[in-house]
């Protein structure tokens, strides 16, 4: 049973690492927005183009955070390694 506990603990540590992706996502979104504001301040006539590109970048950055959250949820609640470990016992 102690090996099963080790597998579960490893899954929880991996889920915590996957959730650290959210911190990087927040920093990336802040950088995207600040760079867009600086670009609009320098070239106000290109506001529409810059804003559209900013929203595409924000969407791509947000999907990275969502993927990390999905991986963490899978590791916490439906860990496939636990099923494999129990099948081998």
């Amino acid at each position: 049973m102690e090996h099963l506990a080790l597998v579960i603990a490893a899954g929880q540590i991996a889920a915590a690492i996957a959730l650290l992706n959210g911190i990087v996502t927040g920093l990336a979104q802040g950088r995207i927005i600040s760079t867009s504001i600086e670009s609009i301040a320098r070239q106000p006539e290109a506001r529409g183009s810059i804003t559209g590109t900013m929203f595409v970048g924000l969407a791509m950055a947000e999907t990275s955070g969502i993927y990390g959250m999905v991986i963490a949820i899978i590791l916490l609640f439906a860990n496939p390694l636990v099923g494999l470990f129990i099948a081998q016992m």
Side-chain angles (χ1 to χ4, degrees):
M1 279 310 226
E2 59 194 45
H3 297 295
L4 179 61
L6 183 64
V7 170
I8 292 172
Q12 290 177 347
I13 291 170
I17 292 171
L19 286 177
L20 288 177
N21 186 20
I23 295 171
V24 177
T25 300
L27 294 174
Q29 287 178 346
R31 181 160 170 90
I32 289 169
I33 291 172
S34 69
T35 305
S36 297
I37 290 172
E38 289 175 10
S39 299
I40 291 171
R42 289 184 183 152
Q43 293 182 340
E45 66 275 0
R47 179 180 183 203
S49 173
I50 293 169
T51 304
T53 306
M54 177 190 71
F55 283 127
V56 170
L58 286 173
M60 293 182 78
E62 186 65 27
T63 54
S64 172
I66 291 171
Y67 287 148
M69 184 182 69
V70 167
I71 289 170
I73 289 172
I74 289 171
L75 286 172
L76 289 175
F77 298 111
N79 192 344
L81 298 176
V82 173
L84 288 173
F85 183 78
I86 292 174
Q88 287 185 349
M89 287 181 72

